[in-house]
DNA sequence: GCCAACGTTGGC
DNA sequence: GCCAACGTTGGC
């Protein structure tokens, strides 16, 4: 069963365009227990929203897990993991945080409830609702 | 650029 | 093992 996720990055550091240029990106540098556990739960083919934080504040595209968790290559402690992702498609229209906050169906969305969590699970219902807003 | 929210660290 | 101090994240 496909699972749905949302991951955020500052476009200055690593944005949607970087991922598209690379064709496949390594999602590393996540040093938070909750986020890390989420990454460990990711399966090949899971669908992931790419959210731009700080600048943009919007979901810009969809990516897909192309490699399940492995030790973060830039982490010496061995505690943290990375995954690989591939871009699937850009949304027709970005879905902004403002839009999502105004939608009562998305009140439980992790980025609204706990804005600092960088890797979070999204339910199928939330996923579909966000997609319907991207038109 | 500011600051609230949250996580982590370190002295006791 | 508690909790105050500190650092980081991310919306505003």
């Amino acid at each position: 069963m496909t699972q749905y996720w949302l991951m955020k990055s500052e476009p200055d550091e690593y944005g949607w365009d970087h991922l598209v240029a690379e064709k496949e990106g390594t999602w590393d540098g996540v040093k938070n227990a909750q986020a890390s556990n989420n990454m460990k739960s990711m399966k090949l083919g899971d669908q992931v929203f790419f959210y731009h934080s700080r600048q943009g504040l919007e979901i810009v595209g969809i990516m897909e897990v192309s490699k399940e968790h492995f030790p973060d290559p830039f982490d010496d402690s061995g505690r943290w993991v990375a995954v690989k992702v591939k871009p699937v498609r850009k949304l027709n229209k970005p879905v902004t945080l403002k839009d999502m906050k105004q939608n009562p169906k998305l009140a439980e969305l992790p980025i609204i409830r706990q804005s600092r969590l960088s890797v979070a699970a999204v339910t199928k219902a939330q996923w579909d609702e966000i997609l319907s807003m991207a038109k």
Side-chain angles (χ1 to χ4, degrees):
Chain A
M1 191 193 96
T2 309
Q3 304 175 98
Y4 300 93
W5 307 95
L6 181 146
M7 300 204 285
K8 60 174 65 167
S9 177
E10 297 188 32
D12 273 4
E13 291 251 340
Y14 189 86
W16 174 259
D17 292 340
H18 295 96
L19 177 64
V20 171
E22 281 194 311
K23 303 229 170 41
E24 183 180 43
T26 301
W27 212 272
D28 53 31
V30 176
K31 295 194 166 108
N32 168 279
Q34 240 186 307
S36 195
N37 284 337
N38 286 332
M39 287 166 80
K40 287 177 185 169
S41 305
M42 288 182 184
K43 299 291 178 202
L44 214 60
D46 279 1
Q47 301 292 109
V48 189
F49 281 134
F50 193 143
Y51 175 81
H52 281 172
S53 63
R54 298 275 298 175
Q55 279 110 36
L57 310 187
E58 58 195 11
I59 294 172
V60 289
I62 296 170
M63 45 195 181
E64 169 179 311
V65 177
S66 56
K67 183 174 183 200
E68 292 176 16
H69 69 95
F70 57 98
D72 185 332
F74 297 101
D75 170 48
D76 296 330
S77 72
R79 291 172 63 196
W80 307 110
V81 297
V83 295
K84 285 194 178 185
V85 287
K86 284 191 307 198
V88 175
R89 67 180 174 92
K90 197 170 184 169
L91 295 184
N92 298 327
K93 174 171 98 65
V95 178
T96 65
L97 181 65
K98 194 159 164 269
D99 292 341
M100 292 186 274
K101 279 188 168 172
Q102 281 170 358
N103 186 334
K105 289 180 191 165
L106 299 177
E108 301 297 314
L109 207 63
I111 45 172
I112 291 170
R113 294 183 58 112
Q114 195 191 341
S115 66
R116 292 190 49 195
L117 185 59
S118 61
V119 180
V122 174
T123 67
K124 177 77 163 66
Q126 290 165 342
W127 180 273
D128 290 341
E129 183 62 24
I130 289 167
L131 279 186
S132 78
M133 294 164 74
K135 285 172 184 164

